[in-house]
Amino acid sequence: MNRRQLVLGAGGLLSSLYFSGKALSASEQVVKLFASESKVDLVRLGTPTNLWAFNNAVPGPEIRVRRGDQLRVRVKNELREETTVHWHGIRLPNGMDGVPYLTQQPIKSGEEFEYSFVCPDAGTYWYHPHQRSFEQVGRGLYGPLIVEDKEPLAVDREITWVLGDWRLQSDASISNDFGHLHDITHAGRIGNTVTVNGHVVENVAVEAGERIRLRMINAATARIFGLDFENHSPLIIAYDGHSVEPHSPENKLVVLAPGTRIDVLLDFNGEADGKYRVVDRYYRGRDYRLLNFAYGTKRSEKARSGSPQLSPNQLPEPDIASAVRHEIVLDGGMMSGMQSAIVDDEELDLRALIRKRLFWAINGVAATSHVHKPMATLKLGQSCVLKVVNRSGWPHPMHLHGHAFRLLSRNGQPAKYREWLDTVLITAREEVEIAFVADNPGDWMFHCHILEHDVGGMKGVIRVA
Ligand code: C2O
Ligand code: CU
């Protein structure tokens, strides 16, 4: 059928879709995605990089729906291996969650699968394969999924930034060392080239006086971003899609771990003709200039009205007093004290683990696949508090499928905003408490979104029944 790349939605929101390529509005039709090998000019030097991509683009097309809409997506697998698509952050029925062997059979090479589900929450989401994701995502298979609110926030423009990170060689080809042992045992595959919406970006044109809603998605397999907007003051309005009390980021850095989305409001109060940097400062001593905001000569005087606070999604509020509690311990990686782990019901020592390329464990279990005994079983409708203890010397962005959870505390200190998340960054030796209502039946992944840690054993299942 038609592979129309741009379909205008009703609200005219797409006119604001500056900078993020193609959009597919999904309210009236079946969105078509095909995964295939492709070439994309990431570095804009005229030498395209061989990648894997949805619809020949990195990121794949921006899918936009309205809150409460049914989304139907037909996925064709034109890769030479199996795949699936996971709709990261969407609270959907288990059978649509895209986890191979756990929630569906993988889509074989040459075959198709139709996903169909309601998007109950407004916000910024994304999609990516869950099959060998360290390589499939790492080679470029991902795209943004935006669920529009009924009442859009009053801004002049809305921009989506999908952040990517690549390990490129000098001829712009991708380094093929996916699943490298050093990456698995350390911080994951951190690359040398950061892209915004699939390109190395020099300047983003802005106008003095305008207010922009910037939706950021970290699609990198391992790189954590700590974005410093230098002369600008981003106001965080949403985490992982969900409204939060508008606030400035701590230490001025907007921190996005893999899997995380953050929406900010930016008021462009700089000088006409000015240039202002955005710099990633997460890794000490390794600052990386992402891009510049380049002001035009005009100044727009736009009246502001209304609060910058987004309307909340209808999420079930956990009852902390009656909640069941589970403790989840993360361990492994370089320089940890982990001596052994259970693999397929058998205790293996470090040497045997290394032979199997497993270095990470949750509650002492190193997972080899998506299917195994649940680390916790929750009664449907039950409130639950998870205390997640990171015993390792590495940060882990832990992602729960099928639910959003509230962040209650970090190292025993109550969280200031009690934000709703689906991915929580737990730094080295840190412990966090999160809470949610187990209201979505099924087996749900709980895993590290540093995808080299995920393949190295750091994943498990939480059962809601
Ligand atoms: Cu974004 Cu389990 O994945
Ligand atoms: Cu991890």
Side-chain angles (χ1 to χ4, degrees):
M1 264 195 21
N2 67 341
R3 217 167 245 169
R4 273 200 308 164
Q5 307 234 263
L6 185 76
V7 182
L8 286 176
L13 268 166
L14 290 182
S15 57
S16 61
L17 247 185
Y18 151 93
F19 203 62
S20 76
K22 301 133 197 153
L24 293 165
S25 169
S27 30
E28 310 276 319
Q29 61 166 16
V30 182
V31 173
K32 296 200 159 193
L33 289 181
F34 63 99
S36 67
E37 293 175 19
S38 188
K39 280 186 199 301
V40 176
D41 193 357
L42 295 178
V43 286
R44 283 195 168 132
L45 291 174
T47 4
T49 302
N50 286 308
L51 298 170
W52 300 355
F54 287 114
N55 298 15
N56 285 321
V58 174
E62 180 165 287
I63 300 172
R64 291 186 89 99
V65 292
R66 292 290 180 93
R67 172 175 8 187
D69 277 356
Q70 181 95 20
L71 174 57
R72 287 173 66 196
V73 185
R74 235 184 138 65
V75 176
K76 174 121 202 266
N77 180 8
E78 295 176 11
L79 300 168
R80 282 181 278 182
E81 61 180 57
E82 297 175 334
T83 194
T84 63
V85 179
H86 168 59
W87 311 92
H88 183 123
I90 305 286
R91 298 185 301 133
L92 41 59
N94 193 255
M96 295 291 119
D97 199 38
V99 180
Y101 303 105
L102 186 70
T103 70
Q104 69 171 100
Q105 287 306 304
I107 312 167
K108 292 205 180 74
S109 181
E111 296 193 346
E112 297 189 10
F113 187 87
E114 187 172 311
Y115 293 91
S116 175
F117 51 87
V118 169
C119 297
D121 305 313
T124 306
Y125 303 92
W126 64 302
Y127 57 91
H128 62 79
H130 224 282
Q131 170 80 343
R132 298 185 64 256
S133 54
F134 68 99
E135 179 165 0
Q136 294 197 1
V137 176
R139 287 193 186 270
L141 286 165
Y142 52 76
L145 167 55
I146 308 298
V147 184
E148 294 167 357
D149 219 325
K150 304 252 154 69
E151 288 291 317
L153 202 64
V155 291
D156 301 312
R157 280 196 291 159
E158 197 179 300
I159 305 178
T160 307
W161 283 359
V162 183
L163 305 175
D165 178 37
W166 313 85
R167 186 175 288 167
L168 298 183
Q169 291 165 315
S170 51
D171 62 352
S173 68
I174 198 158
S175 164
N176 282 314
D177 54 351
F178 287 92
H180 193 287
L181 279 188
H182 185 275
D183 294 334
I184 296 180
T185 53
H186 292 74
R189 179 185 170 95
I190 295 179
N192 52 21
T193 307
V194 172
T195 56
V196 178
N197 298 335
H199 295 290
V200 171
V201 172
E202 184 59 30
N203 293 320
V204 170
V206 298
E207 222 176 80
E210 69 176 338
R211 170 176 278 187
I212 289 179
R213 174 182 187 168
L214 174 59
R215 301 174 182 264
M216 289 177 280
I217 302 166
N218 184 357
T221 64
R223 182 186 281 273
I224 302 170
F225 292 90
L227 298 182
D228 182 349
F229 287 78
E230 295 202 333
N231 305 72
H232 294 88
S233 309
L235 195 64
I236 295 177
I237 56 172
Y239 288 110
D240 290 349
H242 304 291
S243 164
V244 66
E245 183 188 329
H247 64 278
S248 301
E250 214 183 310
N251 305 321
K252 283 201 70 198
L253 290 192
V254 179
V255 176
L256 291 115
T260 298
R261 291 86 63 215
I262 295 183
D263 290 26
V264 298
L265 272 194
L266 278 166
D267 282 326
F268 285 89
N269 299 326
E271 302 288 324
D273 276 329
K275 252 189 197 179
Y276 302 91
R277 306 187 304 171
V278 178
V279 180
D280 172 21
R281 299 193 195 283
Y282 189 80
Y283 301 98
R284 192 161 302 151
R286 283 159 68 189
D287 288 3
Y288 189 107
R289 185 189 54 103
L290 212 68
L291 48 76
N292 302 311
F293 287 127
Y295 280 67
T297 46
K298 280 197 300 194
R299 163 167 291 277
S300 62
E301 293 304 341
K302 285 170 181 146
R304 305 267 167 250
S305 63
S307 140
Q309 179 133 20
L310 295 166
S311 52
N313 289 318
Q314 298 307 306
L315 297 165
E317 189 63 48
D319 176 31
I320 308 298
S322 73
V324 290
R325 299 186 146 255
H326 288 271
E327 182 163 302
I328 290 180
V329 176
L330 315 175
D331 205 355
M334 228 28 208
M335 294 169 297
S336 88
M338 190 171 90
Q339 289 307 319
S340 66
I342 312 278
V343 179
D344 302 326
D345 290 327
E346 200 192 329
E347 173 141 14
L348 299 184
D349 65 13
L350 210 50
R351 203 174 269 213
L353 288 172
I354 289 170
R355 241 180 280 124
K356 290 187 176 284
R357 307 172 75 79
L358 295 169
F359 299 90
W360 300 97
I362 302 183
N363 289 350
V365 177
T368 52
S369 78
H370 290 114
V371 185
H372 44 92
K373 260 189 247 133
M375 66 172 94
T377 300
L378 307 172
K379 255 215 224 87
L380 186 62
Q382 168 95 64
S383 288
C384 169
V385 172
L386 297 183
K387 179 173 174 183
V388 190
V389 179
N390 181 2
R391 245 182 229 155
S392 80
W394 303 90
H396 303 291
M398 297 301 295
H399 171 48
L400 176 64
H401 286 207
H403 300 79
F405 51 80
R406 265 200 197 283
L407 178 64
L408 299 183
S409 71
R410 287 185 182 276
N411 288 332
Q413 296 301 314
K416 189 155 175 205
Y417 300 102
R418 293 169 62 88
E419 56 264 41
W420 290 102
L421 301 169
D422 57 57
T423 306
V424 59
L425 177 61
I426 312 174
T427 57
R429 323 271 175 215
E430 190 181 34
E431 57 183 65
V432 305
E433 283 180 305
I434 60 175
F436 61 100
V437 178
D439 66 343
N440 199 354
D443 279 0
W444 302 102
M445 295 306 299
F446 184 62
H447 67 92
C448 182
H449 223 287
I450 291 180
L451 299 175
E452 293 78 20
H453 293 177
D454 170 271
V455 72
M458 194 170 256
K459 56 176 163 284
V461 166
I462 291 180
R463 176 168 294 165
V464 178

